[in-house]
């Protein structure tokens, strides 16, 4: 299977969690051993948000704020890349073309952000589109997608599955803002819906969830 794994910065890097990163490295090695092709996209987490905050205070514009966050996400991606060693390409992929190239060479692709004005969800969706991925797994800080934002609604109910169209209704914002945290970025949803790429949102604090999804087990929320 060709898989894009989007790891939330809110999961592995808020604060930086070496133990969790180690577990993801193990999961990626397992998937590779099972014969899957994998591209991993890591977000910037609280480090990126901290920089965005400082950049805002310094009156830097949105694009500059985004660029700083992208730089952080790439450093985090580099951590994974270094730990995975020869299973990866030589460096963090900074374009979709580069990602495709590494994947076709049989390497695990590791990347962070791409360019200002988007999120790493959109990066994952664009890569998934280009390589015609079978599945996108997003490891987030919730058990999956809820009928409303669980951070502000204690009565929110986790959904086992839903349609892309319904997901678009659940999301609060459809305008890009540096650092905005949503379960899945609406821009990414548009691409994934158009390409009919299956998405599973899982609790990223349990990396074994990714293996379960690939085995076809029902965890998290399936969006299709
Ligand atoms: P994300 O919000 O995608 O990463 O990127 P995250 O930390 O993993 O998010 P969670 O854990 O899902 O919440 C962080 C910020 O980096 C900038 C945006 O400002 C984004 O909000 N970014 C990221 C870009 O500008 N372009 C990119 O391609 C990626």
């Amino acid at each position: 299977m060709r898989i894009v794994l989007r790891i939330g910065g809110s999961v592995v890097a808020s604060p930086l969690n070496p133990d969790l990163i180690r577990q993801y490295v193990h999961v990626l090695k397992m998937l590779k051993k099972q014969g899957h092709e994998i591209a991993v996209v890591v977000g910037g987490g609280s480090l990126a948000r901290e920089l965005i905050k400082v950049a805002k205070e310094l009156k830097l514009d949105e694009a500059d704020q985004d660029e700083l966050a992208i730089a952080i996400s790439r450093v985090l991606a580099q951590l994974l890349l270094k730990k995975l060693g020869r299973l990866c390409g030589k460096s963090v992929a900074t374009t979709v073309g580069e990602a495709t190239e590494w994947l076709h060479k049989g390497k695990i692709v590791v990347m962070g952000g791409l360019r200002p004005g988007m999120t790493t969800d959109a990066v994952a969706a664009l890569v998934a589109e280009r390589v015609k991925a079978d599945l996108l797994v997003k490891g987030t800080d919730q058990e999956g997608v809820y009928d409303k934002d669980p951070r502000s609604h204690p009565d929110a109910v986790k959904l086992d599955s839903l349609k892309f169209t319904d997901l678009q209704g659940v999301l609060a914002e459809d305008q890009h803002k540096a650092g905005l945290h949503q379960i899945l970025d609406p821009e990414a949803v548009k691409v994934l819906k158009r390409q009919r790429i299956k998405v599973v949102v899982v609790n990223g604090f349990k990396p074994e969830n990714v293996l379960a999804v690939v085995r076809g087990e029902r965890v998290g929320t399936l969006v299709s």
Side-chain angles (χ1 to χ4, degrees), residues 6 8-10 43-45 49 66 69-70 113-115 118 120 123 178-179 181:
R6 154 87 172 95
S10 56
R49 283 172 181 84
D66 281 347
I70 293 168
L114 266 185
R115 54 177 178 269
M118 55 201 276
T120 41
V123 174
H181 172 95

Side-chain angles (χ1 to χ4, degrees), residues 24-192:
Y24 271 108
V25 166
H26 176 69
V27 163
L28 289 165
K29 285 183 176 169
M30 296 265 290
L31 290 173
K32 183 85 183 116
K33 216 181 255 173
Q34 291 166 7
H36 301 293
E37 293 177 40
I38 318 138
V40 192
V41 185
V42 198
S46 59
L47 271 174
R49 283 172 181 84
E50 187 117 342
L51 262 148
I52 289 172
K53 200 172 130 219
V54 173
K56 264 185 197 146
E57 279 171 25
L58 294 174
K59 304 251 179 317
L60 293 177
D61 65 19
E62 281 273 323
D64 285 342
Q65 295 169 27
D66 281 347
E67 273 174 33
L68 290 160
I70 293 168
I72 297 288
S73 66
R74 287 181 177 162
V75 170
L76 297 176
Q78 213 179 349
L79 258 181
L80 264 183
L81 182 107
K82 299 266 183 213
K83 195 65 194 150
L84 282 161
R86 55 172 186 80
L87 293 179
C88 296
K90 280 197 193 68
S91 54
V92 168
T94 54
T95 63
V96 175
E98 226 173 20
T100 313
E101 215 173 285
W102 288 123
L103 200 73
H104 289 158
K105 284 184 180 152
K107 299 291 186 186
I108 297 178
V109 175
V110 186
M111 59 199 303
L114 266 185
R115 54 177 178 269
M118 55 201 276
T119 65
T120 41
D121 280 351
V123 174
L126 291 175
V127 172
E129 175 181 45
R130 178 74 72 86
V131 305
K132 296 197 174 10
D134 304 290
L135 173 70
L136 190 154
V137 183
K138 179 169 181 183
T140 184
D141 56 0
Q142 306 288 342
E143 289 296 333
V145 180
Y146 289 71
D147 60 345
K148 44 196 162 196
D149 190 340
R151 291 170 303 168
S152 43
H153 299 89
D155 60 333
V157 176
K158 195 212 109 192
L159 308 166
D160 289 336
S161 66
L162 79 164
K163 300 265 165 240
F164 281 118
T165 329
D166 300 328
L167 180 63
Q168 284 168 322
V170 173
L171 299 172
E173 291 280 348
D174 58 3
Q175 278 284 330
H176 177 78
K177 281 197 202 85
L180 180 73
H181 172 95
Q182 296 214 84
I183 197 88
L184 208 58
D185 165 19
E187 283 309 311
V189 175
K190 273 186 214 158
V191 175
L192 297 163

